[in-house]
Amino acid sequence: QLSTAYGEKQEVVLPDGTRVTLNSGSQLSYPEDFQDEKRQITLVGEAFFDVHRDTLRPFIIETGKLKTRVLGTSFNINAFEENDSIRVSVVEGKVMVYDSIRLKEFLLPNQQLKYHTRDGGFRTSQYDSSIDRAWSSNIIHFNSTPFAEATEMLERWYDITIEIKDDQLNGKVVTGKYIDPKLNEAMESLSFLMSVEFIQISPSIYEVTPIKKAPM
C-alpha cells in the first residue's frame, strides 16, 4: 500500500512494469506480484497511469463503485472520496469503465467520463486530457472548476486548510493555469480573478472571503 500526504506526490513502478504517479492525499493498494489472470489494484484519490501492455492479463483499477479496465494505455483517474464524482480521462489507448449495474463505456484518447457516485449517473465527452494530467507535471490547471473544488486542490497541493467564509463563493468557477506555482502566487492570482481575499489565520490555515466593494 502506498499513501501520499498533503503536499506530497510520488511515483511507483508496479510489479508488471506499470508506472503510477500518485497525487497528494491519495492511496494505492496493489499486490506484491500479479499472479492471477488479471492485474487488479485499488485507488482512493488521484493518479496518472502508464500501464504496461499485457494482452493476456487486463489491468483493473477499482475506485469505489467504479472499475476501469485496460490492457495497456495511459490515463488519469480522479476519485477523491470528498468529491461526488469520479473522472476518468484518457491520454493514449482504449479504456473500459464499468460498474455493477448498468455502466459500460469505452473511452478513446481525449475523452472523459464523469461518474456521479450518489446516483450512478454518468456523462462521456470530448475533453483535453492534458488538463487532468497537468498536476503530474507540477501544473495547477483550473478549467471552469468550482471554487470549492479549486480550494480543495490547493489544500492537497500545499498541505494547508482553506475555510470559505461565504457560501456564495461555492457557486463560482475558476479558470487558470499555474506552472510550478508558489502558494502566495496562486492566492494572489485567485484573489484578482475572483475578487476574494485570503487571510492567513495560522501557518497552515487560511480564510477566504469576497472583497467588499466600497460604496459609491
Side-chain angles (χ1 to χ4, degrees):
Q1 189 175 88
L2 177 67
S3 298
T4 50
Y6 278 19
E8 176 190 20
K9 300 180 184 71
Q10 193 166 338
E11 184 174 296
V12 61
V13 179
L14 300 186
D16 65 333
T18 291
R19 291 186 175 273
V20 183
T21 307
L22 198 61
N23 203 352
S24 305
S26 301
Q27 182 176 293
L28 189 71
S29 301
Y30 59 95
E32 291 185 359
D33 192 16
F34 293 113
Q35 297 180 341
D36 299 329
E37 68 279 3
K38 60 184 177 182
R39 300 169 287 168
Q40 185 156 333
I41 66 171
T42 302
L43 170 69
V44 177
E46 184 168 23
F48 181 77
F49 294 87
D50 190 355
V51 176
H52 179 73
R53 186 167 183 81
D54 185 341
T55 57
L56 299 179
R57 295 186 302 169
F59 191 94
I60 299 171
I61 303 100
E62 187 173 348
T63 49
K65 299 177 182 177
L66 205 64
K67 291 184 179 180
T68 302
R69 182 183 186 273
V70 302
L71 296 178
T73 183
S74 56
F75 54 98
N76 193 82
I77 297 181
N78 182 304
F80 287 104
E81 290 182 318
E82 61 266 29
N83 295 344
D84 61 2
S85 65
I86 297 172
R87 298 196 305 267
V88 180
S89 307
V90 179
V91 175
E92 294 178 350
K94 187 177 182 180
V95 170
M96 183 175 80
V97 184
Y98 60 100
D99 64 11
S100 61
I101 304 174
R102 60 188 176 93
L103 170 62
K104 185 179 180 181
E105 288 285 308
F106 291 92
L107 303 178
L108 296 174
N110 287 319
Q111 288 188 327
Q112 182 194 77
L113 183 139
K114 186 173 184 179
Y115 176 86
H116 295 280
T117 54
R118 293 179 183 173
D119 59 13
F122 64 92
R123 180 171 62 89
T124 302
S125 61
Q126 292 297 123
Y127 187 80
D128 182 358
S129 60
S130 66
I131 294 173
D132 275 5
R133 68 168 297 188
W135 65 267
S136 64
S137 299
N138 220 32
I139 298 171
I140 296 177
H141 200 154
F142 299 129
N143 182 43
S144 296
T145 305
F147 187 69
E149 185 178 331
T151 57
E152 288 173 357
M153 290 172 65
L154 293 180
E155 288 180 325
R156 290 190 291 267
W157 195 283
Y158 297 106
D159 191 16
I160 59 173
T161 298
I162 300 175
E163 299 174 356
I164 299 175
K165 306 304 287 187
D166 190 324
D167 290 340
Q168 292 184 355
L169 292 176
N170 291 325
K172 296 183 178 294
V173 297
V174 187
T175 296
K177 184 178 180 180
Y178 308 96
I179 300 174
D180 198 17
K182 293 183 171 26
L183 175 58
N184 64 319
E185 295 171 346
M187 285 186 169
E188 284 176 7
S189 177
L190 287 174
S191 294
F192 176 77
L193 287 173
M194 306 295 294
S195 296
V196 297
E197 182 180 14
F198 288 89
I199 303 169
Q200 188 170 14
I201 305 302
S202 75
S204 62
I205 298 177
Y206 293 80
E207 290 182 351
V208 57
T209 60
I211 295 176
K212 292 183 170 52
K213 295 181 179 179
M216 300 294 289

